[in-house]
Amino acid sequence: MTQLTPFHIAIPVHNLLECRTFYREVLNCKEGRSSDLWVDFNLFGHQLVIHYKPKAENSELHHNPVDGHDVPVPHYGVVLPWDTFATFAEALRNKGVKFVIEPYVRFKGQPGEQATMFFLDPAGNALEFKAFKDLGQLFAT
């Protein structure tokens, strides 16, 4: 695997203040530059930008079945170290985050075995955080 570099992702939010507080206070992202319409965050070393966008009429997520769960589409997130995953999940629980898919181990005993969890930000964007005991399984077939 080549050395990874930080990704940049910009996501729409209809309430900049509420989402700014969520990413800063709930996910503990360090805030960077900002304007009246966007805010940069450090999301586990990656650049996440929330951009204001008026709320869509129909903002329902699509779901696809994966390992017996309805996975929201689209979604984004970060692959965390195995030990960090459990600590992060517990911190989210303590802050009252409601999970779309509770933290669990997916594909147990199969190639690509991973811990995963899904939840929504205040704008309804789906986030997935996952972890592998063996990061070499990230792209296992």
mmCIF file of all heavy atoms in Angstrom, residues 87-127:
data_model
loop_
_atom_site.group_PDB
_atom_site.id
_atom_site.type_symbol
_atom_site.label_atom_id
_atom_site.label_comp_id
_atom_site.label_asym_id
_atom_site.label_seq_id
_atom_site.Cartn_x
_atom_site.Cartn_y
_atom_site.Cartn_z
ATOM 1 N N THR A 87 -13.126 3.242 21.352
ATOM 2 C CA THR A 87 -13.108 4.461 22.174
ATOM 3 C C THR A 87 -14.007 5.535 21.567
ATOM 4 O O THR A 87 -14.773 6.195 22.267
ATOM 5 C CB THR A 87 -11.665 4.991 22.294
ATOM 6 O OG1 THR A 87 -10.839 3.956 22.822
ATOM 7 C CG2 THR A 87 -11.578 6.214 23.169
ATOM 8 N N PHE A 88 -13.913 5.700 20.248
ATOM 9 C CA PHE A 88 -14.716 6.692 19.543
ATOM 10 C C PHE A 88 -16.199 6.336 19.633
ATOM 11 O O PHE A 88 -17.041 7.210 19.902
ATOM 12 C CB PHE A 88 -14.253 6.781 18.084
ATOM 13 C CG PHE A 88 -14.904 7.860 17.271
ATOM 14 C CD1 PHE A 88 -14.868 9.181 17.668
ATOM 15 C CD2 PHE A 88 -15.546 7.551 16.088
ATOM 16 C CE1 PHE A 88 -15.459 10.186 16.910
ATOM 17 C CE2 PHE A 88 -16.142 8.539 15.311
ATOM 18 C CZ PHE A 88 -16.099 9.850 15.723
ATOM 19 N N ALA A 89 -16.552 5.069 19.433
ATOM 20 C CA ALA A 89 -17.947 4.633 19.522
ATOM 21 C C ALA A 89 -18.514 4.920 20.912
ATOM 22 O O ALA A 89 -19.645 5.406 21.046
ATOM 23 C CB ALA A 89 -18.068 3.148 19.186
ATOM 24 N N GLU A 90 -17.741 4.635 21.944
ATOM 25 C CA GLU A 90 -18.190 4.880 23.314
ATOM 26 C C GLU A 90 -18.375 6.379 23.563
ATOM 27 O O GLU A 90 -19.353 6.802 24.198
ATOM 28 C CB GLU A 90 -17.212 4.285 24.322
ATOM 29 C CG GLU A 90 -17.695 4.326 25.746
ATOM 30 C CD GLU A 90 -18.997 3.559 25.980
ATOM 31 O OE1 GLU A 90 -19.278 2.584 25.247
ATOM 32 O OE2 GLU A 90 -19.751 3.945 26.883
ATOM 33 N N ALA A 91 -17.458 7.201 23.055
ATOM 34 C CA ALA A 91 -17.587 8.658 23.206
ATOM 35 C C ALA A 91 -18.852 9.156 22.512
ATOM 36 O O ALA A 91 -19.558 10.023 23.042
ATOM 37 C CB ALA A 91 -16.351 9.356 22.640
ATOM 38 N N LEU A 92 -19.162 8.614 21.340
ATOM 39 C CA LEU A 92 -20.382 9.002 20.634
ATOM 40 C C LEU A 92 -21.622 8.611 21.438
ATOM 41 O O LEU A 92 -22.563 9.395 21.558
ATOM 42 C CB LEU A 92 -20.425 8.358 19.244
ATOM 43 C CG LEU A 92 -19.364 8.836 18.251
ATOM 44 C CD1 LEU A 92 -19.427 7.994 16.978
ATOM 45 C CD2 LEU A 92 -19.519 10.306 17.931
ATOM 46 N N ARG A 93 -21.618 7.407 21.992
ATOM 47 C CA ARG A 93 -22.746 6.963 22.834
ATOM 48 C C ARG A 93 -22.932 7.916 24.016
ATOM 49 O O ARG A 93 -24.046 8.310 24.341
ATOM 50 C CB ARG A 93 -22.491 5.557 23.369
ATOM 51 C CG ARG A 93 -22.864 4.466 22.434
ATOM 52 C CD ARG A 93 -22.866 3.114 23.157
ATOM 53 N NE ARG A 93 -23.142 2.070 22.206
ATOM 54 C CZ ARG A 93 -22.222 1.301 21.645
ATOM 55 N NH1 ARG A 93 -20.954 1.426 21.963
ATOM 56 N NH2 ARG A 93 -22.565 0.377 20.766
ATOM 57 N N ASN A 94 -21.810 8.276 24.652
ATOM 58 C CA ASN A 94 -21.866 9.164 25.815
ATOM 59 C C ASN A 94 -22.388 10.551 25.460
ATOM 60 O O ASN A 94 -22.893 11.266 26.331
ATOM 61 C CB ASN A 94 -20.496 9.263 26.485
ATOM 62 C CG ASN A 94 -20.094 7.972 27.165
ATOM 63 O OD1 ASN A 94 -20.935 7.132 27.493
ATOM 64 N ND2 ASN A 94 -18.800 7.782 27.344
ATOM 65 N N LYS A 95 -22.247 10.942 24.196
ATOM 66 C CA LYS A 95 -22.735 12.251 23.746
ATOM 67 C C LYS A 95 -24.145 12.160 23.173
ATOM 68 O O LYS A 95 -24.667 13.134 22.641
ATOM 69 C CB LYS A 95 -21.766 12.842 22.727
ATOM 70 C CG LYS A 95 -20.442 13.228 23.373
ATOM 71 C CD LYS A 95 -19.478 13.802 22.362
ATOM 72 C CE LYS A 95 -18.167 14.176 23.058
ATOM 73 N NZ LYS A 95 -17.192 14.723 22.120
ATOM 74 N N GLY A 96 -24.759 10.984 23.264
ATOM 75 C CA GLY A 96 -26.145 10.821 22.843
ATOM 76 C C GLY A 96 -26.364 10.641 21.357
ATOM 77 O O GLY A 96 -27.488 10.827 20.877
ATOM 78 N N VAL A 97 -25.328 10.272 20.615
ATOM 79 C CA VAL A 97 -25.489 10.052 19.175
ATOM 80 C C VAL A 97 -26.385 8.838 18.960
ATOM 81 O O VAL A 97 -26.201 7.797 19.580
ATOM 82 C CB VAL A 97 -24.113 9.856 18.494
ATOM 83 C CG1 VAL A 97 -24.271 9.381 17.057
ATOM 84 C CG2 VAL A 97 -23.323 11.159 18.537
ATOM 85 N N LYS A 98 -27.379 8.984 18.071
ATOM 86 C CA LYS A 98 -28.261 7.880 17.713
ATOM 87 C C LYS A 98 -27.674 7.204 16.476
ATOM 88 O O LYS A 98 -27.475 7.858 15.453
ATOM 89 C CB LYS A 98 -29.671 8.397 17.424
ATOM 90 C CG LYS A 98 -30.368 8.944 18.660
ATOM 91 C CD LYS A 98 -31.695 9.572 18.332
ATOM 92 C CE LYS A 98 -32.654 8.501 17.886
ATOM 93 N NZ LYS A 98 -34.024 9.023 17.643
ATOM 94 N N PHE A 99 -27.419 5.927 16.582
ATOM 95 C CA PHE A 99 -26.818 5.189 15.478
ATOM 96 C C PHE A 99 -27.883 4.699 14.499
ATOM 97 O O PHE A 99 -28.933 4.211 14.906
ATOM 98 C CB PHE A 99 -26.028 3.986 16.003
ATOM 99 C CG PHE A 99 -24.806 4.376 16.786
ATOM 100 C CD1 PHE A 99 -24.839 4.437 18.165
ATOM 101 C CD2 PHE A 99 -23.624 4.692 16.135
ATOM 102 C CE1 PHE A 99 -23.720 4.808 18.892
ATOM 103 C CE2 PHE A 99 -22.502 5.068 16.849
ATOM 104 C CZ PHE A 99 -22.552 5.120 18.222
ATOM 105 N N VAL A 100 -27.585 4.825 13.221
ATOM 106 C CA VAL A 100 -28.397 4.216 12.168
ATOM 107 C C VAL A 100 -28.090 2.719 12.168
ATOM 108 O O VAL A 100 -28.991 1.892 12.047
ATOM 109 C CB VAL A 100 -28.079 4.844 10.792
ATOM 110 C CG1 VAL A 100 -28.803 4.112 9.674
ATOM 111 C CG2 VAL A 100 -28.436 6.320 10.789
ATOM 112 N N ILE A 101 -26.820 2.380 12.296
ATOM 113 C CA ILE A 101 -26.353 1.007 12.485
ATOM 114 C C ILE A 101 -25.393 1.040 13.665
ATOM 115 O O ILE A 101 -24.355 1.706 13.622
ATOM 116 C CB ILE A 101 -25.664 0.442 11.225
ATOM 117 C CG1 ILE A 101 -26.649 0.415 10.050
ATOM 118 C CG2 ILE A 101 -25.099 -0.953 11.513
ATOM 119 C CD1 ILE A 101 -26.034 -0.028 8.720
ATOM 120 N N GLU A 102 -25.774 0.360 14.743
ATOM 121 C CA GLU A 102 -24.952 0.308 15.958
ATOM 122 C C GLU A 102 -23.575 -0.276 15.639
ATOM 123 O O GLU A 102 -23.447 -1.106 14.729
ATOM 124 C CB GLU A 102 -25.626 -0.567 17.013
ATOM 125 C CG GLU A 102 -26.888 0.019 17.602
ATOM 126 C CD GLU A 102 -26.629 1.042 18.688
ATOM 127 O OE1 GLU A 102 -25.534 1.034 19.291
ATOM 128 O OE2 GLU A 102 -27.530 1.853 18.931
ATOM 129 N N PRO A 103 -22.553 0.117 16.392
ATOM 130 C CA PRO A 103 -21.228 -0.468 16.187
ATOM 131 C C PRO A 103 -21.282 -1.995 16.315
ATOM 132 O O PRO A 103 -21.881 -2.522 17.252
ATOM 133 C CB PRO A 103 -20.399 0.142 17.318
ATOM 134 C CG PRO A 103 -21.092 1.423 17.660
ATOM 135 C CD PRO A 103 -22.548 1.135 17.455
ATOM 136 N N TYR A 104 -20.694 -2.674 15.332
ATOM 137 C CA TYR A 104 -20.629 -4.137 15.344
ATOM 138 C C TYR A 104 -19.520 -4.588 14.400
ATOM 139 O O TYR A 104 -18.960 -3.777 13.656
ATOM 140 C CB TYR A 104 -21.978 -4.759 14.962
ATOM 141 C CG TYR A 104 -22.248 -4.868 13.479
ATOM 142 C CD1 TYR A 104 -22.180 -6.113 12.836
ATOM 143 C CD2 TYR A 104 -22.560 -3.754 12.716
ATOM 144 C CE1 TYR A 104 -22.438 -6.220 11.469
ATOM 145 C CE2 TYR A 104 -22.803 -3.858 11.361
ATOM 146 C CZ TYR A 104 -22.752 -5.092 10.737
ATOM 147 O OH TYR A 104 -22.989 -5.200 9.391
ATOM 148 N N VAL A 105 -19.221 -5.889 14.411
ATOM 149 C CA VAL A 105 -18.216 -6.446 13.506
ATOM 150 C C VAL A 105 -18.937 -7.057 12.311
ATOM 151 O O VAL A 105 -19.746 -7.972 12.452
ATOM 152 C CB VAL A 105 -17.315 -7.485 14.209
ATOM 153 C CG1 VAL A 105 -16.341 -8.108 13.214
ATOM 154 C CG2 VAL A 105 -16.547 -6.828 15.353
ATOM 155 N N ARG A 106 -18.628 -6.531 11.131
ATOM 156 C CA ARG A 106 -19.231 -6.954 9.862
ATOM 157 C C ARG A 106 -18.327 -8.001 9.208
ATOM 158 O O ARG A 106 -17.120 -7.930 9.322
ATOM 159 C CB ARG A 106 -19.364 -5.715 8.966
ATOM 160 C CG ARG A 106 -19.840 -6.003 7.566
ATOM 161 C CD ARG A 106 -19.632 -4.798 6.663
ATOM 162 N NE ARG A 106 -20.602 -3.746 6.930
ATOM 163 C CZ ARG A 106 -20.486 -2.511 6.442
ATOM 164 N NH1 ARG A 106 -19.456 -2.164 5.715
ATOM 165 N NH2 ARG A 106 -21.401 -1.615 6.713
ATOM 166 N N PHE A 107 -18.920 -8.913 8.485
ATOM 167 C CA PHE A 107 -18.202 -9.968 7.743
ATOM 168 C C PHE A 107 -17.325 -10.803 8.676
ATOM 169 O O PHE A 107 -16.210 -11.179 8.330
ATOM 170 C CB PHE A 107 -17.362 -9.395 6.608
ATOM 171 C CG PHE A 107 -18.096 -8.483 5.668
ATOM 172 C CD1 PHE A 107 -17.554 -7.267 5.313
ATOM 173 C CD2 PHE A 107 -19.332 -8.827 5.148
ATOM 174 C CE1 PHE A 107 -18.222 -6.405 4.444
ATOM 175 C CE2 PHE A 107 -20.011 -7.979 4.277
ATOM 176 C CZ PHE A 107 -19.450 -6.768 3.923
ATOM 177 N N LYS A 108 -17.843 -11.085 9.853
ATOM 178 C CA LYS A 108 -17.085 -11.826 10.874
ATOM 179 C C LYS A 108 -16.567 -13.150 10.309
ATOM 180 O O LYS A 108 -17.312 -13.929 9.739
ATOM 181 C CB LYS A 108 -17.975 -12.078 12.086
ATOM 182 C CG LYS A 108 -17.208 -12.262 13.354
ATOM 183 C CD LYS A 108 -18.121 -12.218 14.561
ATOM 184 C CE LYS A 108 -17.295 -11.739 15.714
ATOM 185 N NZ LYS A 108 -18.038 -11.173 16.776
ATOM 186 N N GLY A 109 -15.248 -13.361 10.458
ATOM 187 C CA GLY A 109 -14.611 -14.586 10.000
ATOM 188 C C GLY A 109 -14.434 -14.687 8.501
ATOM 189 O O GLY A 109 -14.031 -15.732 7.991
ATOM 190 N N GLN A 110 -14.722 -13.618 7.769
ATOM 191 C CA GLN A 110 -14.620 -13.601 6.304
ATOM 192 C C GLN A 110 -13.567 -12.575 5.874
ATOM 193 O O GLN A 110 -13.159 -11.728 6.660
ATOM 194 C CB GLN A 110 -15.963 -13.208 5.688
ATOM 195 C CG GLN A 110 -17.123 -14.109 6.037
ATOM 196 C CD GLN A 110 -18.413 -13.542 5.466
ATOM 197 O OE1 GLN A 110 -18.485 -13.137 4.314
ATOM 198 N NE2 GLN A 110 -19.439 -13.481 6.305
ATOM 199 N N PRO A 111 -13.149 -12.642 4.605
ATOM 200 C CA PRO A 111 -12.255 -11.589 4.105
ATOM 201 C C PRO A 111 -12.919 -10.221 4.277
ATOM 202 O O PRO A 111 -14.126 -10.074 4.060
ATOM 203 C CB PRO A 111 -12.086 -11.931 2.621
ATOM 204 C CG PRO A 111 -12.369 -13.401 2.540
ATOM 205 C CD PRO A 111 -13.421 -13.665 3.595
ATOM 206 N N GLY A 112 -12.153 -9.248 4.714
ATOM 207 C CA GLY A 112 -12.686 -7.898 4.905
ATOM 208 C C GLY A 112 -13.390 -7.690 6.229
ATOM 209 O O GLY A 112 -14.073 -6.683 6.405
ATOM 210 N N GLU A 113 -13.200 -8.603 7.189
ATOM 211 C CA GLU A 113 -13.823 -8.435 8.507
ATOM 212 C C GLU A 113 -13.472 -7.052 9.055
ATOM 213 O O GLU A 113 -12.325 -6.625 8.990
ATOM 214 C CB GLU A 113 -13.333 -9.513 9.471
ATOM 215 C CG GLU A 113 -13.950 -9.418 10.844
ATOM 216 C CD GLU A 113 -13.532 -10.549 11.771
ATOM 217 O OE1 GLU A 113 -13.409 -11.698 11.297
ATOM 218 O OE2 GLU A 113 -13.310 -10.273 12.956
ATOM 219 N N GLN A 114 -14.488 -6.361 9.587
ATOM 220 C CA GLN A 114 -14.291 -4.977 10.023
ATOM 221 C C GLN A 114 -15.304 -4.586 11.078
ATOM 222 O O GLN A 114 -16.422 -5.100 11.101
ATOM 223 C CB GLN A 114 -14.438 -4.027 8.826
ATOM 224 C CG GLN A 114 -15.794 -4.124 8.182
ATOM 225 C CD GLN A 114 -15.864 -3.488 6.821
ATOM 226 O OE1 GLN A 114 -16.301 -2.349 6.703
ATOM 227 N NE2 GLN A 114 -15.451 -4.225 5.797
ATOM 228 N N ALA A 115 -14.917 -3.675 11.924
ATOM 229 C CA ALA A 115 -15.867 -3.031 12.827
ATOM 230 C C ALA A 115 -16.440 -1.841 12.061
ATOM 231 O O ALA A 115 -15.722 -1.166 11.316
ATOM 232 C CB ALA A 115 -15.156 -2.562 14.090
ATOM 233 N N THR A 116 -17.727 -1.583 12.246
ATOM 234 C CA THR A 116 -18.355 -0.480 11.530
ATOM 235 C C THR A 116 -19.495 0.110 12.359
ATOM 236 O O THR A 116 -20.042 -0.554 13.234
ATOM 237 C CB THR A 116 -18.880 -0.925 10.145
ATOM 238 O OG1 THR A 116 -19.354 0.216 9.421
ATOM 239 C CG2 THR A 116 -19.987 -1.949 10.261
ATOM 240 N N MET A 117 -19.817 1.349 12.080
ATOM 241 C CA MET A 117 -20.965 2.029 12.686
ATOM 242 C C MET A 117 -21.401 3.145 11.750
ATOM 243 O O MET A 117 -20.593 3.705 11.009
ATOM 244 C CB MET A 117 -20.615 2.599 14.061
ATOM 245 C CG MET A 117 -19.547 3.661 14.050
ATOM 246 S SD MET A 117 -19.214 4.284 15.711
ATOM 247 C CE MET A 117 -17.436 4.467 15.648
ATOM 248 N N PHE A 118 -22.697 3.442 11.780
ATOM 249 C CA PHE A 118 -23.270 4.507 10.957
ATOM 250 C C PHE A 118 -24.122 5.416 11.833
ATOM 251 O O PHE A 118 -24.849 4.942 12.707
ATOM 252 C CB PHE A 118 -24.185 3.929 9.868
ATOM 253 C CG PHE A 118 -23.472 3.265 8.736
ATOM 254 C CD1 PHE A 118 -23.012 1.963 8.854
ATOM 255 C CD2 PHE A 118 -23.274 3.929 7.532
ATOM 256 C CE1 PHE A 118 -22.376 1.337 7.803
ATOM 257 C CE2 PHE A 118 -22.633 3.314 6.475
ATOM 258 C CZ PHE A 118 -22.181 2.009 6.608
ATOM 259 N N PHE A 119 -24.060 6.712 11.557
ATOM 260 C CA PHE A 119 -24.929 7.686 12.210
ATOM 261 C C PHE A 119 -25.051 8.878 11.281
ATOM 262 O O PHE A 119 -24.346 8.970 10.273
ATOM 263 C CB PHE A 119 -24.408 8.083 13.597
ATOM 264 C CG PHE A 119 -22.989 8.587 13.617
ATOM 265 C CD1 PHE A 119 -22.711 9.936 13.503
ATOM 266 C CD2 PHE A 119 -21.927 7.696 13.755
ATOM 267 C CE1 PHE A 119 -21.399 10.393 13.527
ATOM 268 C CE2 PHE A 119 -20.616 8.145 13.781
ATOM 269 C CZ PHE A 119 -20.360 9.499 13.664
ATOM 270 N N LEU A 120 -25.970 9.779 11.600
ATOM 271 C CA LEU A 120 -26.225 10.953 10.765
ATOM 272 C C LEU A 120 -25.762 12.226 11.454
ATOM 273 O O LEU A 120 -25.834 12.330 12.679
ATOM 274 C CB LEU A 120 -27.728 11.086 10.471
ATOM 275 C CG LEU A 120 -28.424 9.890 9.839
ATOM 276 C CD1 LEU A 120 -29.916 10.183 9.678
ATOM 277 C CD2 LEU A 120 -27.798 9.517 8.510
ATOM 278 N N ASP A 121 -25.309 13.189 10.650
ATOM 279 C CA ASP A 121 -25.053 14.515 11.204
ATOM 280 C C ASP A 121 -26.388 15.267 11.238
ATOM 281 O O ASP A 121 -27.408 14.751 10.750
ATOM 282 C CB ASP A 121 -23.944 15.241 10.434
ATOM 283 C CG ASP A 121 -24.339 15.781 9.070
ATOM 284 O OD1 ASP A 121 -25.535 15.691 8.678
ATOM 285 O OD2 ASP A 121 -23.456 16.293 8.362
ATOM 286 N N PRO A 122 -26.446 16.466 11.820
ATOM 287 C CA PRO A 122 -27.726 17.181 11.916
ATOM 288 C C PRO A 122 -28.367 17.520 10.573
ATOM 289 O O PRO A 122 -29.565 17.767 10.508
ATOM 290 C CB PRO A 122 -27.360 18.462 12.683
ATOM 291 C CG PRO A 122 -26.169 18.088 13.489
ATOM 292 C CD PRO A 122 -25.394 17.131 12.609
ATOM 293 N N ALA A 123 -27.592 17.519 9.483
ATOM 294 C CA ALA A 123 -28.142 17.801 8.158
ATOM 295 C C ALA A 123 -28.631 16.530 7.463
ATOM 296 O O ALA A 123 -29.132 16.586 6.349
ATOM 297 C CB ALA A 123 -27.089 18.496 7.288
ATOM 298 N N GLY A 124 -28.463 15.373 8.127
ATOM 299 C CA GLY A 124 -28.905 14.109 7.536
ATOM 300 C C GLY A 124 -27.852 13.418 6.702
ATOM 301 O O GLY A 124 -28.145 12.414 6.051
ATOM 302 N N ASN A 125 -26.609 13.929 6.698
ATOM 303 C CA ASN A 125 -25.523 13.246 5.994
ATOM 304 C C ASN A 125 -25.139 11.999 6.781
ATOM 305 O O ASN A 125 -24.942 12.062 7.995
ATOM 306 C CB ASN A 125 -24.302 14.163 5.864
ATOM 307 C CG ASN A 125 -24.560 15.347 4.979
ATOM 308 O OD1 ASN A 125 -24.921 15.212 3.826
ATOM 309 N ND2 ASN A 125 -24.399 16.540 5.535
ATOM 310 N N ALA A 126 -25.028 10.873 6.087
ATOM 311 C CA ALA A 126 -24.677 9.613 6.744
ATOM 312 C C ALA A 126 -23.160 9.489 6.843
ATOM 313 O O ALA A 126 -22.435 9.746 5.881
ATOM 314 C CB ALA A 126 -25.244 8.437 5.960
ATOM 315 N N LEU A 127 -22.703 9.096 8.026
ATOM 316 C CA LEU A 127 -21.276 8.885 8.279
ATOM 317 C C LEU A 127 -21.057 7.426 8.657
ATOM 318 O O LEU A 127 -21.837 6.857 9.423
ATOM 319 C CB LEU A 127 -20.789 9.749 9.440
ATOM 320 C CG LEU A 127 -20.758 11.249 9.216
ATOM 321 C CD1 LEU A 127 -22.092 11.863 9.569
ATOM 322 C CD2 LEU A 127 -19.675 11.860 10.065
#
